[in-house]
Amino acid sequence: MVAALVAGGLGGSLGYTLAEENDSGGSTTVSSSTSGGNVKRDPGTVAAVAAAALPSTVTIEAASSSGEGGTGTGFVFDKQGHIVTNNHVVADAVDGGNLTATFPNGKKYDAEVVGNAQGYDVAVIKLKNAPSDLKPLTLGNSDDVAVGDSTIAIGAPFGLSNTVTTGIISAKNRPVASSDGSGSKASYMSALQTDASINPGNSGGPLLDAQGNVIGINSAIQSTSNGGFGTGQAGSIGLGFAIPINQAKYVAQELIETGKPVYAKIGASVSLEDSTNGAQITEQGVGGTEPVDPGGPADKAGLKPGDVITKLDDRVIDSGPTLIGEIWTHKPGDEVTITYERGGKEHTTELTLGSRVGDS
């Protein structure tokens, strides 16, 4: 890939001083009044946030045993050498492939996958022979993020490592079912939407707030090439999606402790077809199983096949994927209120979420 870098002319007043022309016909020179390297960059500026965060981000190269793979991003999660990224970034290296992480200073480390969660699209890798001076990025609180808050994304778009882009939070709780286009199962999230420029290669990198706290993991973009959400080679159109860090932190900790993801569940099969009316419990489960698990959370809450779930707590549910994404923002054991329709009438019920270990 060749990146064509075009330098444009800058006009207007840039704080320069003009040397006076002498009478001998000598040349006129232009000198900068200050050197960029000496400018003080106050805390909270994009430059200051980027300078603090870049040393704790890595460019990840993953390749399968056959040599297929790609490039993504990750960030330092703890001092033990754990790096958080997307599952789709490291998926090629899960079964015996090659995995490396390169810091902005050029230091490159071999790494291994500690655990990966396909459904959440979160993975944790660990550096081999990790340095002792790792500085984990500070994790923020994604629940406190507001629409309009400033965002800073760091990644390696199209292989251009250590790239910084800026924007705002343009929406919250955006239901996203993303796929890498390889035919694998979709990942579901209730995402933070940002207009910071995100492209292939940004995946797995941190989405920061104006103070430099991680509020999300950049994971998907709206693609004009396939008309949907994905991680393919389409460019940014200003619609990027990040996994909220509160969810990603929980998933990462589970992966570090057990190597396997744990998903909250209601114990019912729902239709994944596009809809705006809610998430309908199917008449038949996957592979001929019961659509409502006998004795499971949905069964105990009185839900039945054909019921259409329209709300989970105060979140409007417009489809099956939206319901899955909202359920996965919770932990097993959480109590939620389900609003559903049956026979044209609206009902509510309380439900305690169950758990499922591992991807299936």
Side-chain angles (χ1 to χ4, degrees):
M1 180 180 66
V2 178
L5 305 180
V6 181
L10 298 179
S13 174
L14 298 180
Y16 57 76
T17 58
L18 295 177
E20 293 183 359
E21 253 184 59
N22 59 35
D23 295 333
S24 64
S27 64
T28 301
T29 61
V30 180
S31 301
S32 172
S33 60
T34 59
S35 169
N38 295 325
V39 175
K40 180 180 179 181
R41 292 172 174 85
D42 295 328
T45 62
V46 174
V49 170
L54 274 167
S56 297
T57 62
V58 297
T59 298
I60 297 173
E61 294 181 76
S64 65
S65 56
S66 63
E68 296 180 355
T71 302
T73 308
F75 62 90
V76 177
F77 187 70
D78 59 27
K79 294 184 178 180
Q80 287 68 49
H82 291 109
I83 305 292
V84 171
T85 184
N86 281 141
N87 173 70
H88 74 261
V89 169
V90 302
D92 287 321
V94 169
D95 297 320
N98 296 317
L99 191 63
T100 61
T102 305
F103 285 84
N105 62 8
K107 292 184 178 180
K108 189 173 187 177
Y109 297 86
D110 290 330
E112 60 185 354
V113 178
V114 172
N116 59 304
Q118 185 275 324
Y120 290 121
D121 198 14
V122 173
V124 176
I125 66 174
K126 188 174 184 180
L127 305 179
K128 297 179 180 180
N129 302 315
S132 59
D133 59 349
L134 290 175
K135 295 182 179 179
L137 291 183
T138 302
L139 306 185
N141 184 348
S142 50
D143 290 342
D144 291 342
V145 171
V147 173
D149 282 350
S150 297
T151 58
I152 301 167
I154 299 178
F158 298 105
L160 300 172
S161 301
N162 315 317
T163 295
V164 178
T165 55
T166 64
I168 62 169
I169 293 291
S170 47
K172 293 181 63 176
N173 307 309
R174 186 71 77 194
V176 173
S178 66
S179 173
D180 60 7
S182 66
S184 61
K185 296 179 181 178
S187 300
Y188 300 96
M189 68 184 92
S190 182
L192 297 175
Q193 179 181 315
T194 180
D195 65 350
S197 182
I198 294 174
N199 289 284
N202 276 107
S203 292
L207 184 69
L208 309 170
D209 63 17
Q211 288 72 47
N213 305 310
V214 181
I215 55 174
I217 300 176
N218 301 316
S219 300
I221 60 175
Q222 176 72 42
S223 171
T224 56
S225 64
N226 59 20
F229 303 105
T231 55
Q233 293 301 307
S236 173
I237 59 171
L239 291 172
F241 303 93
I243 303 166
I245 196 58
N246 289 9
Q247 178 183 10
K249 177 183 177 181
Y250 162 73
V251 176
Q253 290 173 334
E254 289 289 333
L255 293 176
I256 291 171
E257 291 175 7
T258 70
K260 296 182 179 180
V262 178
Y263 297 90
K265 69 172 188 177
I266 64 170
S269 297
V270 295
S271 172
L272 299 181
E273 295 180 1
D274 290 337
S275 170
T276 57
N277 300 320
Q280 184 172 32
I281 299 178
T282 57
E283 296 294 336
Q284 187 173 7
V286 178
T289 60
E290 293 290 334
V292 178
D293 296 344
D299 188 26
K300 291 179 179 178
L303 294 173
K304 298 180 179 180
D307 289 346
V308 179
I309 297 173
T310 57
K311 276 188 178 182
L312 190 151
D313 291 333
D314 60 348
R315 296 277 188 264
V316 173
I317 303 300
D318 59 8
S319 67
T322 300
L323 176 63
I324 295 171
E326 286 298 331
I327 290 172
W328 286 355
T329 64
H330 293 76
K331 300 176 183 178
D334 285 354
E335 294 186 0
V336 297
T337 300
I338 299 291
T339 303
Y340 64 98
E341 293 181 358
R342 179 188 297 167
K345 295 183 179 180
E346 185 175 272
H347 307 271
T348 60
T349 185
E350 303 301 314
L351 185 149
T352 301
L353 296 171
S355 66
R356 171 172 64 83
V357 178
D359 287 305
S360 63

